[in-house]
Amino acid sequence: MLWLADNDEKRISRGVAKGDKQAMRKLYDLVAGSISSACCRYVANDDDAKDVAQDTFLSIITHIGDFEYRGKGSLRAWATRIAINKAVNFMRKQDKQLLSIKEELLSDKSLNAVEVESNLALQDLYDIDADQLHAFIRSLPDGYRTVFNLYAIDGKSHSEIAQLLGISESTSASQYHRAKVQLAKKITNYLSQKSTSYEY
């Protein structure tokens, strides 16, 4: 079918709703990268992330009738939202205490949070490739990673995060702050080691 040569999201979604296999392949090509990226940001284990991505794609096909076209890119955005919801739900099922604050982990005083963040200049981020930064985010503790992704990358407010995860806004804000501190420390250490390796 000629229309499958382009990215006409309306026609792709309609084709999927009718069970058209070519439309399903086109849908997969269109959204697979975004789905995989979203799942990997939230789920640290690769095999689990793949399972969540597969579950997401099946859910997209099953609920394609709920999709409302709102301009170019809306199908990918809709699919990504489903992936995020699936990933967050997976994380919550894995650990019911996912977002509980554990006093032994971090304290702002012990981490010198302000100092760490102030020493990390925006320019420093240009010295880190996207894959390395992605790896640092994935290495954050589950709760920190979840809130960091929702707030910093997916644009949710602390109020929305609180509602989504069943926590208080203050807990969300605290988790996000602590995630930033840990991430800043990882980046600072990485840049320091990288700089040392170039010295003769």
Side-chain angles (χ1 to χ4, degrees):
M1 295 169 62
L2 185 61
W3 61 265
L4 286 175
D6 63 26
N7 286 340
D8 188 330
E9 297 175 7
K10 273 187 184 178
R11 291 183 178 178
I12 291 173
S13 63
R14 288 172 184 167
V16 171
K18 293 176 182 177
D20 187 313
K21 291 183 179 179
Q22 289 186 16
M24 288 184 191
R25 281 195 292 272
K26 188 65 179 178
L27 173 68
Y28 181 82
D29 291 341
L30 183 67
V31 305
S34 298
I35 289 173
S36 177
S37 178
C39 291
C40 285
R41 280 195 289 109
Y42 283 90
V43 183
N45 180 278
D46 288 337
D47 289 336
D48 289 339
K50 288 177 184 176
D51 288 343
V52 174
Q54 183 176 11
D55 186 36
T56 297
F57 191 69
L58 291 174
S59 183
I60 288 168
I61 291 174
T62 303
H63 297 96
I64 195 69
D66 297 335
F67 168 68
E68 294 181 16
Y69 182 75
R70 297 179 180 177
K72 186 176 181 180
S74 58
L75 182 55
R76 184 183 285 112
W78 178 75
T80 302
R81 283 195 301 273
I82 293 175
I84 291 169
N85 288 335
K86 289 283 185 183
V88 170
N89 287 337
F90 173 84
M91 296 303 298
R92 292 183 70 185
K93 288 178 183 176
Q94 290 296 106
D95 182 1
K96 292 182 180 178
Q97 300 302 316
L98 173 69
L99 295 165
S100 63
I101 296 178
K102 299 173 183 174
E103 295 178 5
E104 72 273 16
L105 283 180
L106 293 173
S107 70
D108 294 346
K109 186 175 181 181
S110 65
L111 280 173
N112 295 317
V114 175
E115 180 183 344
V116 170
E117 291 188 55
S118 64
N119 288 339
L120 182 63
L122 182 60
Q123 183 64 35
D124 292 336
L125 295 178
Y126 293 116
D127 295 330
I128 302 176
D129 63 44
D131 288 340
Q132 183 62 63
L133 187 57
H134 178 69
F136 286 149
I137 293 171
R138 288 191 83 190
S139 71
L140 291 171
D142 292 345
Y144 298 171
R145 184 177 66 250
T146 301
V147 172
F148 182 86
N149 278 310
L150 286 169
Y151 186 86
I153 299 177
D154 296 314
K156 302 287 187 185
S157 68
H158 286 304
S159 175
E160 291 172 316
I161 295 171
Q163 187 172 22
L164 179 64
L165 300 178
I167 59 176
S168 67
E169 288 185 42
S170 61
T171 297
S172 176
S174 174
Q175 293 279 335
Y176 174 66
H177 174 69
R178 291 168 184 240
K180 280 202 307 179
V181 171
Q182 275 209 9
L183 193 56
K185 284 196 74 175
K186 290 174 187 293
I187 292 170
T188 300
N189 290 338
Y190 170 79
L191 292 175
S192 176
Q193 291 173 4
K194 187 177 178 182
S195 175
T196 302
S197 68
Y198 285 117
E199 294 178 0
Y200 294 96

